[in-house]
Amino acid sequence: MGFAGFDTEKIGTLAGGLEKASQGAGPLHRQVAMVLTRANGLLNGSKPVTTSALLQPLVGDLMGGLFFGGYRCMPGTLTGELDDTQASMKRRCAQLGGVQKLVDDGYDVDPSLYFDDEKPPDQKKINTALTDLAELNGKNAGDTDGRSDLERIKGDLDGLTPTELDAFLDKVPAGDLAHFNDVATHTGNSGIWPFQHSNGLPSGEYRDFTSSLLKKAGPTHWPKIEAAFPVQPGFDTTDAWLEGQNSQQEQGVHGMHYGTPQDPLFKTPGTVDASQVSQGRFGDCWYIASLSATAQRDPKFIAEGIKQNANGTVNVRIWDKNGKVHWVTVTPDLPMDKDGNLVSARSTGETWPAYYEKAFALMYAGDTGGAPDDHQGDPLYDRAEQGDYGATEWDFNQKAPPYVTGNDSKKIDSDVPSIRKSFQSGHPVIVSTGSSADQETKGQQIWGDTFSTRHVYYVKGFTKSGDIVLGNPWGPDWPEITATPEQYKEFFGDPEALSMPS
């Protein structure tokens, strides 16, 4: 009986029983409270009327706390709890019946969405979205009525429930989705007249839209979204892919592919430890240093900026180049090597830095070209990129902070007392090294391989003697650097103070 293992008749009977029980919880509460209150009066304080922690709050609670927003304890609290539960069960049964009709009519819906607590799917909404998108397919970017066609289709899709979106994705031709992406990303004026509307959708608005699709869709239809829209950053433009190794640490990277990690988002939910963050094999120390510096200063801020959705995707809070905040949705798979080890950023036993990095790769729009040593001018390396991991490599340390905190960083005087003053006033601080080969040789004689040129570090603190302590974003396997003020002046510079949101 039922559909997909759910017997809606039995579930409905149970819901009816819970509804009846919820209606009796209030009277039962008052009766128990009356008995305990009378008994307490008869005992006149000679002994407790009850030793039960659950029943003690009922002594004298003849009104059930109704003047204070409802029942505050058992059994009165069951009135709302049971009522909410039975109402949810009935909604889910109605949703399940609607899904069954979709399946019977030939739609493929991801099983994870069958018993969702939402309105039953409406095939009319699904068909409207399919029709509107099909009509767009006959128009070129310059032929659309400004953004109105795009906005109408975007509204269609935004208004779909997860189940309806999944059914839409099952039926929509891949070419229609790809054409929508072409038109939406073709921005600019629609003609020579100054009052004509612009084409396409603003990049931030479009990123929010594609995130909403991923957040709702069932896993079986993620590949269709990934094929049509820019939601999965590529890695074939990174140094690790092109050279087969990380260009600074010279760690081999072979068989790079997307895979789903086994480690959780957080080992302890809501808790991050900056000292355990590792950069991975991509050349984005300037970003990971900013992320680590911020996590050290305000771990709660970073932990609250990442959430796992019901369908397994991950939401990451990130600001765009214009300072507007977005919650970027990414799929849970991450770049791995041939042995299944993460190539991207990570923390010890957890993956939250990898998703920050993945969202940053999608959002970063400041890359104007950059290359490791000996590759300047090589078009494979030294080129402007956007929307992939390659765009996050080899850029300047002041460009990353706005994406992490929403605020521009501030240059401070490049001496240890100035950095300490800024650090102690609450600012995360990052510093960088130059590109001299002689400096690298000399620095490694002092600190070993944890010193590198063309690298960004974050300030961890200061010693009692006044030395500066720097963390290496490569991770906990690389020792921190303790430098005297004189050593700092010789080997480091360009300090940036990050500004946390107020």
Side-chain angles (χ1 to χ4, degrees):
M1 296 294 292
F3 170 64
F6 294 95
D7 190 325
T8 54
E9 184 177 345
K10 288 184 177 180
I11 296 172
T13 300
L14 176 59
L18 293 178
E19 182 178 18
K20 184 176 180 180
S22 73
Q23 294 169 356
L28 177 63
H29 184 103
R30 290 191 294 272
Q31 291 169 10
V32 174
M34 184 176 294
V35 170
L36 291 174
T37 301
R38 287 179 178 177
N40 187 58
L42 292 173
L43 290 171
N44 198 25
S46 61
K47 60 185 298 186
V49 67
T50 178
T51 58
S52 169
L54 291 175
L55 293 178
Q56 285 172 353
L58 273 70
V59 179
D61 190 27
L62 298 179
M63 298 300 295
L66 292 177
F67 293 112
F68 302 96
Y71 291 102
R72 295 169 292 176
C73 57
M74 294 276 283
T77 53
L78 289 175
T79 298
E81 294 174 8
L82 292 177
D83 193 55
D84 289 345
T85 300
Q86 63 87 18
S88 174
M89 291 169 68
K90 289 178 180 178
R91 288 193 299 271
R92 291 172 186 269
C93 285
Q95 151 77 0
L96 192 64
V99 172
Q100 183 173 7
K101 188 175 187 312
L102 283 180
V103 173
D104 290 344
D105 289 345
Y107 292 86
D108 180 23
V109 178
D110 193 289
S112 65
L113 304 174
Y114 283 2
F115 206 54
D116 275 2
D117 189 357
E118 61 184 38
K119 293 180 180 180
D122 183 344
Q123 287 195 38
K124 183 178 179 181
K125 292 167 59 181
I126 299 168
N127 292 332
T128 296
L130 289 168
T131 299
D132 287 347
L133 190 60
E135 290 177 353
L136 181 72
N137 206 9
K139 301 178 181 179
N140 293 319
D143 297 334
T144 60
D145 182 14
R147 291 180 179 145
S148 61
D149 292 328
L150 297 171
E151 293 287 359
R152 183 175 66 258
I153 296 168
K154 178 176 170 294
D156 291 343
L157 298 181
D158 284 341
L160 298 180
T161 66
T163 303
E164 291 164 350
L165 177 63
D166 226 49
F168 164 85
L169 290 171
D170 176 54
K171 293 298 184 184
V172 66
D176 286 3
L177 290 177
H179 184 69
F180 179 88
N181 179 69
D182 291 341
V183 176
T185 54
H186 184 89
T187 56
N189 192 279
S190 60
I192 61 173
W193 301 106
F195 300 109
Q196 284 189 300
H197 296 292
S198 296
N199 288 315
L201 292 172
S203 59
E205 180 182 337
Y206 194 48
R207 176 58 58 200
D208 292 343
F209 166 68
T210 57
S211 289
S212 73
L213 297 182
L214 268 183
K215 185 177 179 180
K216 292 191 293 186
T220 56
H221 289 117
W222 292 347
K224 203 165 192 177
I225 296 175
E226 292 173 14
F229 303 116
V231 297
Q232 189 80 313
F235 45 70
D236 57 356
T237 61
T238 63
D239 299 344
W241 174 272
L242 294 171
E243 297 184 19
Q245 65 178 14
N246 177 288
S247 56
Q248 280 189 316
Q249 304 168 51
E250 298 183 349
Q251 295 175 330
V253 185
H254 301 288
M256 201 184 303
H257 65 282
Y258 265 110
T260 303
Q262 297 300 310
D263 287 336
L265 194 62
F266 300 108
K267 285 190 295 186
T268 303
T271 302
V272 302
D273 183 353
S275 69
Q276 298 301 303
V277 175
S278 299
Q279 177 184 329
R281 309 294 172 83
F282 300 139
D284 57 356
C285 59
W286 55 290
Y287 172 72
I288 301 300
S290 291
L291 183 67
S292 299
T294 306
Q296 175 185 253
R297 175 58 61 189
D298 192 345
K300 183 180 179 182
F301 171 77
I302 291 297
E304 290 177 344
I306 186 166
K307 306 177 188 298
Q308 193 134 27
N309 298 315
N311 67 348
T313 56
V314 179
N315 274 9
V316 183
R317 180 183 57 199
I318 190 169
W319 283 261
D320 62 23
K321 62 180 180 179
N322 299 315
K324 183 178 179 181
V325 69
H326 300 268
W327 282 92
V328 175
T329 304
V330 295
T331 53
D333 49 346
L334 296 167
M336 295 180 169
D337 65 16
K338 62 180 179 63
D339 298 318
N341 301 309
L342 279 183
V343 172
S344 57
R346 60 195 177 279
S347 183
T348 304
E350 52 190 2
T351 56
W352 64 265
Y355 295 110
Y356 264 102
E357 182 183 49
K358 188 175 183 179
F360 178 62
L362 288 172
M363 287 293 292
Y364 184 55
D367 179 47
T368 56
D373 295 332
D374 303 323
H375 287 289
Q376 289 88 348
D378 186 332
L380 279 177
Y381 296 84
D382 196 0
R383 53 179 166 165
E385 299 173 66
Q386 185 173 344
D388 58 30
Y389 283 101
T392 71
E393 295 192 312
W394 301 99
D395 222 325
F396 298 101
N397 57 359
Q398 74 271 19
K399 288 187 176 183
Y403 289 83
V404 179
T405 68
N407 297 314
D408 289 332
S409 57
K410 180 181 179 182
K411 285 192 175 298
I412 52 180
D413 290 338
S414 190
D415 57 75
V416 171
S418 297
I419 295 173
R420 181 170 58 244
K421 181 180 179 180
S422 184
F423 183 83
Q424 292 176 344
S425 66
H427 292 283
V429 180
I430 56 176
V431 302
S432 57
T433 57
S435 57
S436 166
D438 290 340
Q439 268 201 330
E440 182 161 66
T441 299
K442 189 175 181 181
Q444 289 185 352
Q445 290 174 349
I446 302 172
W447 297 293
D449 290 343
T450 196
F451 178 83
S452 180
T453 53
R454 296 194 70 181
H455 194 38
V456 183
Y457 298 80
Y458 67 99
V459 176
K460 297 186 72 172
F462 299 84
T463 67
K464 291 182 179 179
S465 62
D467 296 342
I468 188 171
V469 182
L470 303 175
N472 191 335
W474 289 348
D477 293 338
W478 299 86
E480 60 191 21
I481 287 177
T482 300
T484 66
E486 293 75 24
Q487 288 172 330
Y488 171 84
K489 185 176 181 180
E490 181 177 358
F491 293 97
F492 302 92
D494 295 324
E496 296 279 337
L498 281 65
S499 296
M500 301 297 296
S502 58

